[in-house]
Amino acid sequence: MTTPTRTPAAIPRTSREIRLASRPTGAPGAENFDLVHADIPADLADGEILVRNDWMSVDPYMRGRMTDVPSYIPPFQLGVALEGSAVGEVVASRAPAVPAGATVSHFAGWREYAALDAAAVSVVDTALAPAEAYLGALGTTA
């Protein structure tokens, strides 16, 4: 078992996240989204990490997911944080392969902080390219 590599005092207790409040007709508007403060887990389980998202992707396919129709990817659920590609810094880790300070990409999307299984992220090399490049040319949409 590993212990978190940053002190709990440095990690906030809540995280802001964007949730789908209603399904838009036509162009989405602010009324279709909620900004919610959600609790951050007080303790991580073995193999989990806590990521502070620095970059989040807004991609054209997301509009289709706002409609509740069958597609190649499930629609967004009402009242749940929107999913999508994000890149951020690991601020606490109980996964030796993904230490605090690493930059990772993941699909937990539109939230400030995400507690994730370390197997659900990819460590990215910010010496090769800036973090945000992993949402574009070096990411899933390229």
Side-chain angles (χ1 to χ4, degrees):
M1 176 167 107
T2 58
T3 56
T5 53
R6 295 243 177 134
T7 61
I11 299 169
R13 295 177 186 220
T14 62
S15 172
R16 294 178 296 180
E17 59 186 43
I18 302 294
R19 296 180 180 179
L20 187 63
S22 62
R23 300 205 182 274
T25 302
E31 68 278 5
N32 299 118
F33 303 94
D34 286 328
L35 174 61
V36 176
H37 286 82
D39 291 336
I40 294 173
D43 296 309
L44 297 173
D46 286 340
E48 287 186 329
I49 61 173
L50 182 65
V51 178
R52 184 194 69 239
N53 289 326
D54 296 316
W55 300 93
M56 291 173 247
S57 184
V58 179
D59 299 307
Y61 82 93
M62 292 177 161
R63 175 58 186 94
R65 292 190 70 191
M66 292 177 195
T67 305
D68 191 9
V69 296
S71 182
Y72 68 94
I73 190 167
F76 290 128
Q77 298 301 304
L78 296 177
V80 177
L82 296 171
E83 298 171 329
S85 296
V87 174
E89 179 186 355
V90 176
V91 295
S93 176
R94 299 227 14 221
V98 186
T103 301
V104 297
S105 67
H106 60 85
F107 201 66
W110 294 26
R111 63 187 83 220
E112 269 182 305
Y113 288 85
L116 303 163
D117 185 314
V121 307
S122 296
V123 176
V124 299
D125 184 354
T126 56
L128 175 67
E132 63 270 26
Y134 291 91
L135 296 177
L138 298 177
T140 58
T141 59

